[in-house]
Amino acid sequence: MRFRTLQFKLSLILLAFGLLAIGLSAVRQYHRDVNSSLDQLRLRAYQEGTRLASLAQHFFRRRLPNSADLALSYASVDPDLHLGVICDGGDRVLYATQKQWRGLSLWSCPLAVTPHLVSATRQSFEGVLNEDAALGRLTAVFPFRDAANGVNKGLVVLEYDLYEAAAAAARQALNESAAQSCLLLGGCVRLWALLQVMVAGRVSKIVE
């Protein structure tokens, strides 16, 4: 009989509409957070690629290759960075955020780059951002001149994990939705208690 009472029905209706509103809000918040995270990741990739390319060009001209290695190591602290490498004009990896890839060919590394993208970047001599939705990778490719004569063109290649950015946004939306659901549940229980005291209790006294 308790499930047929007015206070239970009102509390259940309030809970259902509240959960629906929270669900719709969570979906909107998730899409906003994902788009915001991806925009910030693109901006970081572009800024970091530009910075490393300019530093690498300066250090190679000054014959300070170890400084280029140090600059790349600073970039590796970014948790979204999957792999970053600095290559010479012959596509040989000089420095990498993971040391096992040093000295190998660029095409031996697990990077989502293509010969066409590398060739087009060297010809235009402008940095590009390339997204691969299937692999969940954002690749930043930035050229620089790795010799004083300016003939050879090295590359800075940074690859970021798009899935991690989306997962972080999903976790944030889930945490906010869970907190709102707890508040809603507490409000529904309080409403049920108030109706029990103000309505059901008084009706019982009148009947008695």
Side-chain angles (χ1 to χ4, degrees):
M1 296 296 294
R2 288 185 177 181
F3 299 114
R4 298 179 181 177
T5 58
L6 177 63
Q7 63 269 25
F8 179 81
K9 292 180 180 180
L10 289 176
S11 302
L12 184 61
I13 291 173
L14 178 62
L15 179 62
F17 277 102
L19 290 176
L20 178 61
I22 290 175
L24 294 176
S25 176
V27 172
R28 290 195 300 268
Q29 184 67 32
Y30 168 74
H31 288 294
R32 284 198 301 267
D33 290 344
V34 167
N35 292 331
S36 177
S37 298
L38 293 181
D39 289 340
Q40 292 177 3
L41 185 60
R42 295 184 188 103
L43 179 60
R44 290 206 317 270
Y46 190 87
Q47 291 177 340
E48 193 66 25
T50 303
R51 184 184 72 86
L52 285 175
S54 61
L55 288 177
Q57 179 168 303
H58 173 74
F59 291 143
F60 276 95
R61 286 187 174 183
R62 295 288 183 178
R63 297 182 180 180
L64 300 171
N66 292 333
S67 298
D69 185 22
L70 181 62
L72 184 61
S73 65
Y74 288 143
S76 64
V77 300
D78 191 335
D80 294 324
L81 182 63
H82 176 250
L83 179 62
V85 300
I86 297 179
C87 304
D88 60 12
D91 294 338
R92 183 172 63 92
V93 177
L94 301 177
Y95 306 103
T97 55
Q98 300 178 20
K99 293 184 179 181
Q100 66 268 27
W101 303 113
R102 295 184 180 184
L104 300 179
S105 171
L106 172 64
W107 312 112
S108 301
C109 299
L111 293 168
V113 291
T114 62
H116 174 72
L117 178 62
V118 169
S119 176
T121 303
R122 282 196 170 112
Q123 288 180 4
S124 64
F125 206 70
E126 294 181 357
V128 296
L129 298 180
N130 182 62
E131 295 186 28
D132 191 328
L135 296 177
R137 292 286 185 264
L138 169 65
T139 307
V141 183
F142 284 78
F144 67 93
R145 303 190 186 279
D146 65 350
N149 55 16
V151 176
N152 296 330
K153 297 177 182 179
L155 288 176
V156 172
V157 183
L158 304 174
E159 190 169 273
Y160 294 85
D161 190 350
L162 292 176
Y163 289 151
E164 182 57 32
R171 289 193 295 268
Q172 182 177 355
L174 181 61
N175 292 335
E176 293 180 359
S177 299
Q180 293 174 0
S181 299
C182 291
L183 291 176
L184 174 64
L185 182 60
C188 291
V189 171
R190 181 162 183 166
L191 174 63
W192 184 88
L194 289 175
L195 291 175
Q196 180 69 25
V197 174
M198 299 177 63
V199 179
R202 292 182 180 182
V203 170
S204 299
K205 289 181 180 180
I206 293 173
V207 172
E208 290 176 359

